Amino acid sequence: MATLYRAASPDSLIVAPVDLLTAIYHRASGQTHLMASPAPEILDALAEAPLDAAALLAKLRADYDLVDADPAVLAARLDELVETGLVERR
Amino acid sequence: MRHVFSVAIGPVGFRVGSDWRGPVAALERLYASYPKPQDGIADFTVRLFADRPWRRFFRPKVMIGGDFVLPEAAPLSLEHGLLAAEMAMNLQMALGQRRYLLLHASAVERDGKALVMTGLSGAGKSTLAALLMTRGWRLMGDEFALLDPETGLIHAFPRLISLKNEAIAVMEAAATGGTFGPLLAETPKGAIRHLVPDTRSVAAMFEPARPALILFPTFGHEAATREVAPSEVFVRLTQASTNYVALAERGFTALTRLVAGTPARAIDYPDTESAIAQVEALWASL
Amino acid sequence: MGVALDGHLLARALADPASVATLDSAGWQALLTMARAELLSATLAHRLDGIAKPVAAQRFLDDAKASCAQGRLVALWEVEMARRALGDLGVPVVLLKGSAFIAAGLAAGQGRFVGDLDILVPRAELDRVEAALLGAGWEWVKPDPYDDAYYRRWMHELPPLIHRERDRMIDVHHTILPLTARPTPDADALIADSIALPNGLHMLNSDDMICHAAAHLFADGDLSGGMRNLWDIHRLVDDFGIAGLAERARRHGLASAVRRALRLSHALYDTQLPDGWARSGSDDDLYLRRLTARDGWGRQTRPITRLAFYVRSHWLRMPPLMLARHLWTKWRKQAG
Amino acid sequence: MDENTTDRQANEPHPTRRRALMLGAATASVVISIRPALAQTSASVLTCEIPVPDAGRAGMYVAADGSLVPNGTKDAFPGATKPFKAEDVRTALNGGTLPGTTYEQSRAYTAYIRRLQHGTAGFTCFASLQMPRG
């Protein structure tokens, strides 16, 4: 079975768009992250339910005009979010 | 401890114990006009002590202790005991302050609004604040500005102004009639002389002010003023704060609110006169 | 003030919060400073909830609570990250000490400052646990070959690991006392009888938690931080009682350590004692002198007593010949 | 930035118009995590020192890459007799030479200092020199 990615629940996050960057406070970890697109959008896409990488890519394509739908790049983005603990692999 | 001194600096109470009379005598003279901690209970305790009994007398070395310590602190000579006390009080704030978001910044106030200046040591934020004090501004603090997460207001922390090297002569000329501490030569940070904030700044130390401008000064270039992107202000202020992470959600809320509501500029300045003019011009344009 | 200016001041305030009514400002200052130095300031804050106190004291204690709440969040996050790293190994992972108290929501966790994350795993699984942690961003703290060999051969834990991003340490134990110590707790029973938490991790059962706290206090340390350790024990006894404790302590070879811990906790905090345990040990007074060696400036006092317990702590951990070898190696390194 | 930060739920309605989105380059980073600036101001509140090596490992030599090796190791340097002041280390990190050392020796010591970790003597002091200042 493909790995599922689960994002921190929306009520555990405080999101403050700053300018091009978005500041996110994660209540569970006490950490602040400053992130550029597409990280906030990925968190948003995973907010409702955990998805595997392919389903996530499909959802991003549906929600946005996705310029570069490259699975390898999405994997790199997800790795970064997993590292912060904002996304969990299951 | 043998010699004891206590003082309130803005909303924070300190108690200093010392193995020697000297540092306490200097503190008593310079902080003479300051109130004592509320209820006689200090928020932080500082200890100046000899690490071996004979070090009280023989080549005395002042060790810095207190509620919060850094393990690698180097001792100072007894002549620099006042500096040791000041550094130890600052250290308690840097490591132990949990009520206010602590910004490593100087702050001055006019018309109930605060100008907050932060930057590299050597950028002149301390000297600029002291100079502005001599020109009609109220000094809120030359080292730390305290942001209240509940109200978004800046609280004053007007400890002794710590003048270093060239700034000493500048302020001796500008603050005629001011009360100065002894000249401390050849400290680990160079020459240091403390200046007592003026009467008005001390008298108003419990009055907070709404932040109106955040300034990042840099010394040594042609006069210039730039806008600073909010995200850059945000990151720089997290790094100018020793307790941002420790304040958790309160810190985040306080800082995002500050950044959203306060204009920020970076200024380059070739000399202090230009800097003062740039500050006044910016302030007038708000 | 009429109150002895040592740790008894703090002990009395914790055990009998109403007693602070007699404090003057100097007494409050001493109490608060001591509590901070013993890492008990947030515990004190919770104990003194609802008790009248000066405004400045209230503010001090509120700050301590807020600081502790943030520390708790960070500690729980470390627990969660360890769960993510180790959850799929199929290995029982038992949280120890403060992390367990707060993860399980115990009274002992209220106001408890938590430092490193301590976990217990079966000795046979150490290699897999180590590999999983290294794969998830933890790194060795010290690359020193002697210390490393020493740890692996003699200690009850892996050399400490630190997470490269989060700067937090984890101690991975396979039992609760060094292999060189004389009592040898039954590590298999600790794990077999541990209690599962909702997140899939475990904690020791209550008797074992008390045994561990006592073992840590007497067989493994020089009693620094002992007031907090005994407070843990006091709260655990309060919460869970002492019905099976004596039996369990015997099984781990910790009967005398646990009896002593409870006697001292009784002396400081009025902890309830099983029948027949009240008779004080010959040197309990010496232990109490060590435990309460703290003055109103937050300084440690009674250096001779402290030194005696320091030497004792090394003595207990190592057989004499090994102690000599250890001190020799350390000395050689100093001497270069 | 909004005047008031809001919870994510309330904050982001699904886009009514399709917005362009780029995943970017695989090697780029899109998240900065704020780390504690614990010691950031300590350089200004305190003078600190860094022993090379720390007392627990006194007597070991420092190799060119900064690792600690047994004493007498060829091409490695004995530890420094006195701890270095923060200011001296700052200068050395910016390309200068530590006082009382040769060029190679200073390089080795600086490499050691760069490898300091949490829990080792000198780490907090080093960390205070590392923080972005500005």
Side-chain angles (χ1 to χ4, degrees):
Chain A
M1 212 181 82
T3 308
L4 284 180
Y5 291 89
R6 194 179 75 138
S9 77
D11 60 7
S12 75
L13 302 177
I14 313 179
V15 178
V18 178
D19 38 38
L20 287 177
L21 301 184
T22 302
I24 293 197
Y25 179 77
H26 184 203
R27 289 193 172 102
S29 67
Q31 289 172 353
T32 300
H33 309 282
L34 209 60
M35 49 183 70
S37 177
E41 290 83 357
I42 290 174
L43 287 178
D44 206 36
L46 294 172
E48 276 167 34
L51 298 173
D52 65 24
L56 174 61
L57 194 60
K59 184 166 167 59
L60 290 173
R61 283 178 119 143
D63 290 351
Y64 301 94
D65 188 4
L66 199 56
V67 180
D68 51 348
D70 181 344
V73 178
L74 182 60
R77 294 289 88 90
L78 282 166
D79 282 348
E80 227 183 322
L81 288 168
V82 167
E83 179 93 352
T84 65
L86 289 166
V87 169
E88 181 188 358
R89 272 196 196 94
R90 324 204 67 177
Chain B
M1 299 201 68
R2 267 184 194 79
H3 306 279
V4 181
F5 170 75
S6 65
V7 65
I9 304 177
V12 186
F14 292 95
R15 163 174 76 144
V16 180
S18 169
D19 278 349
W20 304 270
R21 171 74 191 140
V24 162
L27 291 167
E28 281 169 351
R29 178 171 84 83
L30 297 170
Y31 283 110
S33 59
Y34 285 59
K36 294 292 167 193
Q38 186 183 17
D39 300 323
I41 299 172
D43 297 276
F44 298 110
T45 290
V46 158
R47 291 182 274 117
L48 306 178
F49 62 99
D51 62 342
R52 297 278 181 274
W54 62 86
R55 284 283 180 218
R56 277 183 56 215
F57 311 103
F58 177 69
R59 288 194 203 140
K61 285 281 183 199
V62 182
M63 301 292 292
I64 292 176
D67 294 338
F68 299 91
V69 291
L70 280 182
E72 290 117 24
L76 284 125
S77 72
L78 184 54
E79 296 78 69
H80 299 152
L82 173 62
L83 177 63
E86 286 285 308
M87 292 198 316
M89 288 194 279
N90 284 348
L91 188 66
Q92 304 312 306
M93 292 294 282
L95 300 181
Q97 175 57 241
R98 291 292 180 273
R99 209 173 326 142
Y100 304 102
L101 184 72
L102 186 79
L103 297 174
H104 188 209
S106 66
V108 291
E109 175 264 343
R110 202 157 68 185
D111 304 327
K113 292 184 293 183
L115 162 65
V116 176
M117 293 177 279
T118 182
L120 218 89
S121 3
K125 63 184 165 48
S126 186
T127 316
L128 286 180
L131 277 173
L132 289 166
M133 175 186 81
T134 65
R135 306 199 185 189
W137 295 68
R138 185 222 334 171
L139 180 91
M140 298 186 77
D142 80 318
E143 178 85 15
F144 295 132
L146 309 177
L147 177 62
D148 187 343
E150 310 299 322
T151 61
L153 299 179
I154 299 284
H155 285 257
F157 186 70
R159 52 156 224 166
L160 302 180
I161 302 163
S162 169
L163 302 168
K164 295 182 196 79
N165 302 321
E166 299 79 22
I168 297 173
V170 172
M171 288 313 298
E172 283 169 349
T176 47
T179 307
F180 287 86
L183 178 67
L184 308 174
E186 291 175 33
T187 78
K189 302 178 190 177
I192 286 191
R193 193 166 186 197
H194 293 96
L195 167 62
V196 182
D198 62 14
T199 315
R200 170 186 169 214
S201 301
V202 174
M205 67 160 78
F206 298 120
E207 291 167 26
R210 179 147 314 274
L213 177 63
I214 300 167
L215 214 54
F216 299 93
T218 307
F219 170 70
H221 302 276
E222 278 304 293
T225 302
R226 290 185 305 283
E227 299 224 359
V228 187
S231 52
E232 188 184 340
V233 177
F234 184 87
V235 173
R236 285 170 82 157
L237 291 181
T238 65
Q239 296 308 299
S241 169
T242 48
N243 66 356
Y244 170 74
V245 171
L247 257 62
E249 190 170 333
R250 287 186 300 149
F252 180 85
T253 312
L255 198 57
T256 46
R257 186 171 162 189
L258 176 73
V259 172
T262 319
R265 299 287 184 278
I267 60 167
D268 295 341
Y269 66 95
D271 55 66
T272 48
E273 274 312 313
S274 316
I276 301 275
Q278 285 170 277
V279 168
E280 292 286 0
L282 268 174
W283 192 257
S285 73
L286 286 180
Chain C
M1 272 189 348
V3 182
L5 255 184
D6 66 9
H8 283 101
L9 173 67
L10 174 58
R12 199 176 69 137
L14 289 170
D16 174 18
S19 70
V20 301
T22 61
L23 294 178
D24 58 10
S25 61
W28 272 106
Q29 182 79 71
L31 172 65
L32 296 172
T33 306
M34 255 180 221
R36 188 179 263 164
E38 293 287 345
L39 296 178
L40 282 164
S41 56
T43 303
L44 183 68
H46 285 284
R47 290 291 289 169
L48 298 187
D49 265 343
I51 302 258
K53 53 182 93 70
V55 172
Q58 183 68 57
R59 209 172 49 203
F60 185 110
L61 293 169
D62 287 346
D63 290 351
K65 264 192 200 172
S67 175
C68 179
Q70 189 265 345
R72 174 192 159 85
L73 195 126
V74 172
L76 286 174
W77 182 245
E78 272 319 285
V79 169
E80 168 62 12
M81 294 317 266
R83 185 195 67 75
R84 290 186 191 181
L86 304 176
D88 293 338
L89 294 182
V91 172
V93 175
V94 183
L95 300 174
L96 299 174
K97 305 191 223 176
S99 306
F101 303 161
I102 60 171
L106 305 184
Q110 199 179 47
R112 176 69 149 78
F113 286 100
V114 181
D116 306 341
L117 172 59
D118 294 277
I119 61 172
L120 172 74
V121 298
R123 195 170 188 187
E125 304 287 357
L126 275 181
D127 289 347
R128 290 175 66 216
V129 169
E130 180 180 341
L133 291 172
L134 291 173
W138 276 272
E139 298 172 341
W140 299 116
V141 173
K142 293 188 181 174
D144 183 306
Y146 170 74
D147 277 353
D148 197 52
Y150 170 79
Y151 261 102
R152 286 173 191 271
R153 181 149 178 217
W154 299 111
M155 289 303 277
H156 52 308
E157 58 195 7
L158 291 175
L161 290 154
I162 190 163
H163 195 274
R164 63 168 176 254
E165 290 300 320
R166 297 190 304 277
D167 253 356
R168 298 279 295 190
M169 307 250 269
I170 186 168
D171 283 326
V172 181
H173 303 245
H174 58 81
T175 183
I176 54 173
L177 276 182
L179 303 179
T180 54
R182 270 145 251 175
T184 45
D186 184 344
D188 293 339
L190 291 170
I191 291 171
D193 299 336
S194 65
I195 293 167
L197 297 167
N199 64 0
L201 298 174
H202 291 238
M203 66 172 187
L204 296 176
N205 69 45
S206 59
D207 290 335
D208 284 348
M209 276 194 279
I210 295 171
C211 288
H212 181 206
H216 182 65
L217 185 58
F218 298 122
D220 188 24
D222 67 351
L223 264 75
S224 57
M227 287 196 69
R228 183 176 77 151
N229 245 297
L230 286 173
W231 181 257
D232 287 346
I233 290 172
H234 172 75
R235 292 316 298 254
L236 290 169
V237 168
D238 234 27
D239 254 18
F240 296 105
I242 42 182
L245 182 59
E247 172 66 35
R248 192 68 177 178
R250 262 196 302 281
R251 172 160 187 182
H252 293 308
L254 291 166
S256 73
V258 168
R259 289 168 81 108
R260 189 189 294 282
L262 260 69
R263 286 199 310 269
L264 295 173
S265 169
H266 174 75
L268 284 178
Y269 304 127
D270 223 7
T271 311
Q272 59 162 314
L273 285 182
D275 291 340
W277 283 30
R279 186 182 49 84
S280 97
S282 56
D283 45 6
D284 279 5
D285 287 346
L286 191 61
Y287 279 82
L288 285 169
R289 262 184 72 73
R290 168 64 187 91
L291 287 163
T292 58
R294 182 73 71 181
D295 72 7
W297 284 88
R299 289 179 295 187
Q300 301 227 63
T301 53
R302 301 170 188 152
I304 309 284
T305 311
R306 281 191 286 121
L307 177 66
F309 277 93
Y310 177 76
V311 171
R312 172 185 170 280
S313 77
H314 273 81
W315 184 256
L316 285 178
R317 265 192 297 218
M318 295 183 192
L321 274 175
M322 212 177 109
L323 176 61
R325 178 177 172 271
H326 175 73
L327 295 176
W328 169 250
T329 310
K330 288 273 174 196
W331 177 81
R332 281 261 308 250
K333 291 201 313 188
Q334 300 288 340
Chain D
M1 182 187 280
D2 294 345
E3 173 65 39
N4 295 307
T5 57
T6 47
D7 283 0
R8 183 171 190 84
Q9 262 172 333
N11 189 32
E12 299 216 348
H14 284 281
T16 47
R17 221 158 17 102
R18 279 164 61 87
R19 192 153 65 76
L21 186 68
M22 268 182 74
L23 296 178
T27 50
S29 175
V30 294
V31 183
I32 310 167
S33 299
I34 304 296
R35 301 183 62 153
L38 164 79
Q40 187 262 353
T41 59
S42 74
S44 76
V45 295
L46 185 91
T47 56
C48 58
E49 296 180 334
I50 304 179
V52 178
D54 89 325
R57 292 179 279 161
M60 297 186 77
Y61 275 34
V62 184
D65 67 353
S67 61
L68 294 185
V69 292
N71 58 5
T73 302
K74 191 166 169 295
D75 295 332
F77 302 95
T81 48
K82 281 200 321 197
F84 294 107
K85 301 250 182 283
E87 277 311 309
D88 296 332
V89 173
R90 189 198 304 280
T91 310
L93 290 171
N94 291 327
T97 306
L98 289 164
T101 65
T102 63
Y103 177 75
E104 281 78 18
Q105 194 178 8
S106 179
R107 295 253 305 203
Y109 288 176
T110 321
Y112 165 83
I113 291 167
R114 284 186 205 280
R115 294 162 66 127
L116 281 175
Q117 282 186 310
H118 196 91
T120 315
F123 173 78
T124 326
C125 187
F126 172 60
S128 75
L129 299 173
Q130 284 309 290
M131 297 295 173
R133 322 181 101 242

